[in-house]
Amino acid sequence: MPVTAALARVAQPIVLAWGVRRTATALLAGAASTLAMAPLGLWPALFVTFPVMVWLIDGSGAGRWNGVGAAAAAGWWFGFGYFLAGLYWIGAAFLVDADKFGALLVPAVLILPAGLALFTAAGFALARALWDPGAFRIVTLAAALTATEWLRGHVLSGFPWNAFGYALAEPLALAQGFALFGLWGMTFLAVLIFAAPAALADPPAETRRPWLLPAIGLGLLVALAAFGTARLALAPTAFVDGPRLRLMQPNIPQDQRFSYAAKADVMRRYLALSDRASGERSRGVADVTHLIWPESAFPFFVAREPDALASIADLLPEGTVLITGAARLAPSSRPGNIEAYNSVYVFDHDGSILSIYDKVHLVPFGEYVPLRGLLQRLGIEQLVRVPGGFLAGDRLRTLESPRAPPFVPLVCYEAVFPHAVLPRGARPGWLLNVTNDAWFGLSPGPYQHLQQARMRAVEEGLPLVRAANTGISAVVDPAGRIVAQLGLGREGVLDSRLPAPLSPPPYARTGDAPVTAVVVLALIASAWRRRVRLLRPTR
């Protein structure tokens, strides 16, 4: 077959590559794989880059331990390229307070991808340890990488950012698969589907029907698209009667947001923007029931500032509440030992506090320093200007709000953890993600963050409301449709009704149990196949 012969000619140099050529191949393939992530979403690129993973592992047979070490090295370089190209924008956070943190920009931009690449290296190594010639080795790779990607999402508090499954988050019809399988199930499918063409380059002696697995992968892709198209058609956007939302996006530079000297200017800006007319007949904030401000909205402890509370009370008409992110001074604080929570407040129209949520999942090195005593002696501090960093809340909470269904607040990157966004108990009516992506400027970061938060809406069958300082603020229905949006780097207000939830989809009910079973069975089958091959007498 011409296609098979052509792919074999492409695969052979990659399989035989060694030294610098092998390293460069892995690095470039990993970097190119980020084309599939937001904001580009060019997922067909993975049909080119993921077969390279298979061929790199094929070429790892030399050396000790059946080439496990060589496979791990290739996996590390692939992962380093992937995370470096996909996360370079984190360096912008170190320029917010450049005098203090600017020198850490280059080390941070290199160290984080280097650490995350260890999980990709582990996936390659596990796959190589179970490697067996033939198309089934691609199933082995999918299971191994899903297992190590899951670990990346959980070890040391977890960082599942840009997991491979997000390649299937666009177009929206494909994204409906998250309602069935969640992020880790979609990761398994992504690796299987996009790496499957590697089988077309296999010698006939190893793979009798090289077209079979690619055909299965294409069939899975078509099935996902068909399911998603049907689901979108059968679940049009509906809205809850009553709530009228206004999201305020101030677009304030990060260095001003943490300056106490800017306190008065920040409040004036918030108040004026929140009451801005949004049309000819608009009455400003008087038209809405819920005014929502983003994460860490104040450069001060708002509950300790009577003037700020009075300004909020003056702004809000009766029947309107304010939901806002804000730092909360912990009761344990003492002079010289400030302790605080990164919180969400619900204020009534008279400035009284109706409810509070304290962020549970803090950002390592951003909001707190792991092993703080040791690392601070080395001069390493968290980026936020709270001495000692933030304290973690005790648990996720559902908050009540007048004139709207109960909601679950998620602060910043709490929205990127699959099957970990709802507390135990009664199902809420919506998710609220308040965030401050100003740390990362006009970069891919906010686009990636929005995409991942949208997938939580699809997984849980719940609408998502997202208020961001610099953007992207959005209202998302439970199928992932963006109902309203205010773009990155824009100042303004976004008015919208609240989408209605759907009944819990399969993933919301079962979680990761099905994909765990599939991955475990695939790894057991891989081990059995390899054992049978090793015990088979040679002729």
Side-chain angles (χ1 to χ4, degrees):
M1 295 175 63
V3 173
T4 301
L7 274 178
R9 287 195 295 271
V10 173
Q12 186 179 25
I14 297 174
V15 173
L16 298 178
W18 207 251
V20 174
R21 179 180 294 181
R22 178 177 167 86
T23 296
T25 300
L27 182 70
L28 292 174
S33 296
T34 60
L35 294 171
M37 298 296 132
L40 298 177
L42 299 177
W43 53 267
L46 299 188
F47 281 122
V48 176
T49 61
F50 275 23
V52 173
M53 292 196 289
V54 178
W55 297 328
L56 287 169
I57 299 174
D58 282 340
S60 301
R64 295 183 295 176
W65 306 308
N66 187 42
V68 168
W76 188 88
W77 283 109
F78 186 99
F80 183 69
Y82 180 75
F83 293 115
L84 182 63
L87 294 172
Y88 72 89
W89 46 266
I90 65 169
F94 294 86
L95 298 178
V96 172
D97 196 351
D99 292 343
K100 190 173 185 180
F101 296 110
L104 297 176
L105 187 154
V106 173
V109 168
L110 295 177
I111 289 173
L112 179 61
L116 296 176
L118 293 174
F119 293 96
T120 317
F124 274 48
L126 176 58
R128 181 64 212 185
L130 303 174
W131 210 242
D132 188 54
F136 195 82
R137 74 195 192 283
I138 297 170
V139 178
T140 303
L141 177 62
L145 282 176
T146 301
T148 55
E149 284 284 270
W150 182 91
L151 287 174
R152 178 164 72 88
H154 290 81
V155 172
L156 297 177
S157 84
F159 190 72
W161 201 277
N162 281 358
F164 295 139
Y166 286 119
L168 296 172
E170 294 288 348
L172 191 57
L174 290 180
Q176 301 310 301
F178 282 79
L180 297 175
F181 310 117
L183 175 59
W184 308 120
M186 295 296 273
T187 294
F188 179 85
L189 289 176
V191 178
L192 181 65
I193 290 168
F194 295 122
L200 294 173
D202 290 353
E206 293 183 356
T207 305
R208 294 182 184 178
R209 296 183 292 275
W211 49 266
L212 180 58
L213 188 63
I216 291 173
L218 184 60
L220 289 170
L221 197 62
V222 171
L224 279 175
F227 166 76
T229 301
R231 186 172 192 259
L232 291 171
L234 294 172
T237 305
F239 295 94
V240 178
D241 291 334
R244 301 184 305 279
L245 311 178
R246 166 165 286 195
L247 282 60
M248 188 272 294
Q249 184 170 296
N251 195 35
I252 296 178
Q254 185 64 19
D255 55 353
Q256 293 182 25
R257 284 172 60 83
F258 281 104
S259 171
Y260 187 79
K263 165 189 170 182
D265 290 338
V266 167
M267 279 302 297
R268 276 195 297 268
R269 188 167 180 173
Y270 285 1
L271 297 171
L273 189 56
S274 297
D275 202 27
R276 176 184 292 181
S278 59
E280 291 183 3
R281 298 184 178 180
S282 173
R283 297 180 300 154
V285 74
D287 289 335
V288 305
T289 59
H290 294 76
L291 174 64
I292 303 174
W293 291 354
E295 175 192 11
S296 301
F298 311 95
F300 51 85
F301 295 111
V302 62
R304 299 297 184 99
E305 296 282 345
D307 291 346
L309 295 176
S311 296
I312 290 172
D314 290 340
L315 170 70
L316 299 178
E318 186 171 356
T320 301
V321 300
L322 169 66
I323 306 173
T324 180
R328 182 174 78 88
L329 192 65
S332 57
S333 289
R334 301 184 304 275
N337 183 31
I338 295 177
E339 295 181 313
Y341 296 96
N342 191 357
S343 303
V344 172
Y345 284 85
V346 180
F347 289 103
D348 206 352
H349 67 272
D350 58 1
S352 61
I353 299 171
L354 298 178
S355 54
I356 301 173
Y357 163 72
D358 298 322
K359 184 179 182 182
V360 173
H361 212 137
L362 301 178
V363 181
F365 300 102
E367 295 173 313
Y368 80 102
V369 177
L371 304 175
R372 188 175 75 186
L374 172 62
L375 294 182
Q376 284 191 337
R377 284 197 293 271
L378 300 176
I380 298 176
E381 301 179 45
Q382 76 285 339
L383 290 172
V384 294
R385 299 177 188 176
V386 176
F390 283 117
L391 301 174
D394 58 348
R395 59 185 173 88
L396 293 171
R397 296 177 186 273
T398 298
L399 299 187
E400 300 287 340
S401 175
R403 293 167 293 282
F407 70 96
V408 172
L410 302 167
V411 181
C412 192
Y413 98 140
E414 286 185 314
V416 308
F417 294 92
H419 207 57
V421 295
L422 298 185
R424 295 181 182 275
R427 180 174 164 84
W430 51 298
L431 304 173
L432 172 64
N433 180 210
V434 295
T435 188
N436 177 24
D437 287 345
W439 288 103
F440 308 115
L442 304 180
S443 73
Y447 294 95
Q448 294 170 5
H449 195 185
L450 172 62
Q451 182 191 68
Q452 294 173 59
R454 283 175 70 195
M455 293 308 101
R456 303 294 83 77
V458 178
E459 289 169 350
E460 301 295 343
L462 293 172
L464 169 79
V465 177
R466 187 172 192 267
N469 170 31
T470 55
I472 306 164
S473 297
V475 177
V476 180
D477 84 355
R481 300 182 187 90
I482 295 181
V483 175
Q485 177 175 314
L486 193 57
L488 182 62
R490 292 180 55 192
E491 174 192 292
V493 291
L494 183 65
D495 292 343
S496 175
R497 297 169 66 190
L498 176 65
L502 297 173
S503 59
Y507 180 74
R509 296 193 297 267
T510 64
D512 294 318
V515 68
T516 300
V518 169
V519 168
V520 170
L521 289 174
L523 293 175
I524 291 173
S526 300
W528 179 81
R529 287 171 59 89
R530 177 162 178 79
R531 182 175 183 275
V532 168
R533 180 178 179 83
L534 292 175
L535 294 177
R536 186 180 302 154
T538 57
R539 296 180 180 178

